[in-house]
């Protein structure tokens, strides 16, 4: 008897997954390898930045009062008493109509309260003239204007990107506390599967899902163990799944989650005593996506169809992994766009269309990336976003406003809103 499954909304499925995602611990790593990790501690400014008043330009440090009355027909002369390079300080305070030649980043000398940029001066013997008055504080970067000692700069749960690395270096975080990364297991099921290097045979296809999932994990910086390809044999598949669960923090399987006679994952979940969170989602592609938990381990049963497999990973597996790492922005960012061509196919379920977006003079335009059935591969390669079409619609016409999810974005958002 074929099992009847009740589909649940995408948002409900996402929430069920995230409700079961638990951080797996923390560790200290050097700044050199911190990129891509998630902060497990807040970053606090250890000192002011800048740590002293400094010049943001190459030019001359002066007393602003000495420039009063300067004009095109009344150029005021200054004598240069020294030079201050970055990392050095002036030897003495400046006096009336005196100036230091100063370099970008150098400390402002005593008594100076303005910086004249080079292009605002005319050089003379031993000095320069200028034709405009300067106000106190003009062209000066003041101590602490970027960050004050003790200030909270970045909160726990933030992804470390190159800008974060720069900030950590600025404040001397040679080592930083981060969340541990989970190790994922990957298993592709199906007697029809061939290795990538194999020649095609009648009734067979090459395994594209395994390499694709590995790529999606690598994009996140997640280590994985590959358990290869398993034929449609219940006992053999069960043994592999048991071994993978022991060795990894989550297992991603592709194929075997439909309701056919050779789809064994539901039976394996039952054998293991895993709790199935859902086994059908009101979405296309990927309606048979199944997620279960066994203790603190996730079992992601993704479709064997490549587009459905890709979409299931991005919607459910990716945010769960980020939540396991303590991330506070685990979801794909989204924005609105205009549909670049008609999409007349009806949507009984929410549809996620592999697409490309670009910014034009008419705004953001999103166009389906080609063949868009669940077994499609070419559109995954071409796409850089997912167009989201809500359920209950009879199709969309060119120019309609749609939501798009940005695939592969380094930084995400904190809430699922679609």
């Amino acid at each position: 008897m074929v099992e009847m499954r009740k589909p649940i909304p995408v948002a409900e499925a996402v929430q069920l997954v995230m409700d079961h995602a638990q951080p797996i611990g923390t560790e200290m790593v050097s700044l050199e390898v911190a990129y891509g990790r998630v902060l497990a501690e807040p970053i606090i400014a250890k000192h002011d930045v800048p740590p002293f008043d400094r010049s943001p330009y190459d030019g001359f440090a002066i007393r602003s009062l000495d420039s009063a009355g300067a004009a095109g027909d009344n150029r005021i002369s200054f004598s240069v008493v020294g030079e201050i390079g970055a990392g050095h300080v002036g030897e003495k305070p400046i006096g009336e109509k005196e100036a230091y030649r100063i370099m970008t980043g150098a400390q402002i000398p005593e008594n100076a309260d303005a910086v004249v940029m080079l292009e605002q001066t005319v050089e003379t013997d031993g000095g320069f003239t200028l034709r405009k008055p300067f106000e106190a504080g003009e062209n000066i970067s003041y101590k602490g204007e970027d960050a004050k000692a003790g200030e909270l700069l970045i909160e726990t749960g933030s992804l470390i990107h190159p800008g974060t690395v720069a900030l950590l270096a600025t404040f001397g975080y040679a080592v930083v506390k981060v969340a541990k990364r989970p190790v994922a297991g990957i298993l592709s099921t199906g007697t029809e599967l061939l290795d990538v290097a194999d020649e095609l045979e009648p009734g067979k296809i090459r395994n594209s899902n395994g390499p694709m999932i590995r790529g999606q994990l690598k994009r996140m910086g997640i280590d994985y163990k590959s358990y290869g390809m398993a034929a449609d044999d219940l006992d053999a598949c069960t043994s592999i799944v048991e071994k993978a669960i022991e060795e990894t923090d989550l297992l991603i399987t592709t194929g075997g989650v439909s309701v056919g006679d050779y789809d064994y994952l539901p039976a394996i979940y039952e054998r293991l005593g895993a709790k199935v969170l859902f086994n059908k989602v009101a979405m296309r592609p990927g309606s048979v996506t199944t997620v279960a938990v066994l203790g603190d381990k996730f079992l992601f049963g993704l479709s064997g169809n490549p587009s459905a497999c890709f979409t299931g990973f991005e919607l459910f597996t990716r945010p769960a992994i980020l939540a396991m790492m303590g991330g506070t922005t685990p979801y794909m960012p989204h924005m609105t766009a205009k549909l670049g061509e008609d999409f007349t196919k009806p949507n009984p379920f929410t549809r996620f269309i592999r697409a490309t977006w670009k910014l034009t003079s008419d705004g953001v335009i999103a166009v389906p990336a080609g063949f868009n059935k669940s077994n499609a591969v070419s559109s995954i390669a071409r796409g850089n976003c997912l167009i989201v079409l809500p359920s209950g619609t009879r199709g969309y016409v060119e120019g309609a406003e749609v939501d798009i999810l940005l695939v592969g974005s380094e930084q995400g958002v904190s809430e699922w809103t679609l």
Side-chain angles (χ1 to χ4, degrees), residues 7-19 277-278 316 416:
I8 66 173
V10 175
E12 182 180 342
V14 170
Q15 190 59 54
L16 281 170
V17 171
M18 300 305 278
D19 285 345
L277 302 183
F278 54 83
F316 305 113
W416 176 268

Side-chain angles (χ1 to χ4, degrees), residues 136-172:
E138 192 165 347
N139 295 334
I140 287 182
S141 181
Y142 281 106
K143 177 183 178 181
E145 68 177 12
D146 191 358
K148 298 282 189 186
E151 179 182 345
L152 172 63
L153 301 173
I154 308 176
E155 296 182 345
T156 300
S158 299
L159 181 73
I160 299 176
H161 55 73
T164 319
V165 172
L167 197 65
L168 291 166
T170 296
F171 291 101

Side-chain angles (χ1 to χ4, degrees), residues 241-311:
V241 169
E242 288 177 325
K243 174 178 172 63
I245 290 173
E246 291 178 0
E247 296 177 345
T248 65
D249 298 297
L250 66 142
L251 175 62
I252 304 166
T253 57
T254 67
V257 289
S258 295
V259 291
D261 292 338
Y262 299 107
D263 294 308
Y264 292 138
L265 264 300
I268 292 173
Y269 296 154
E270 185 175 355
R271 278 190 176 190
L272 298 178
K275 174 185 175 182
V276 176
L277 302 183
F278 54 83
N279 58 17
K280 193 172 181 64
V281 187
M283 61 184 275
R284 292 281 193 273
S287 64
V288 297
T289 301
T290 301
V291 179
V293 290
L294 183 61
D296 58 354
K297 305 291 182 74
F298 269 115
L299 302 167
F300 289 97
L302 305 183
S303 172
N305 286 321
S307 285
C309 180
F310 176 87
T311 303

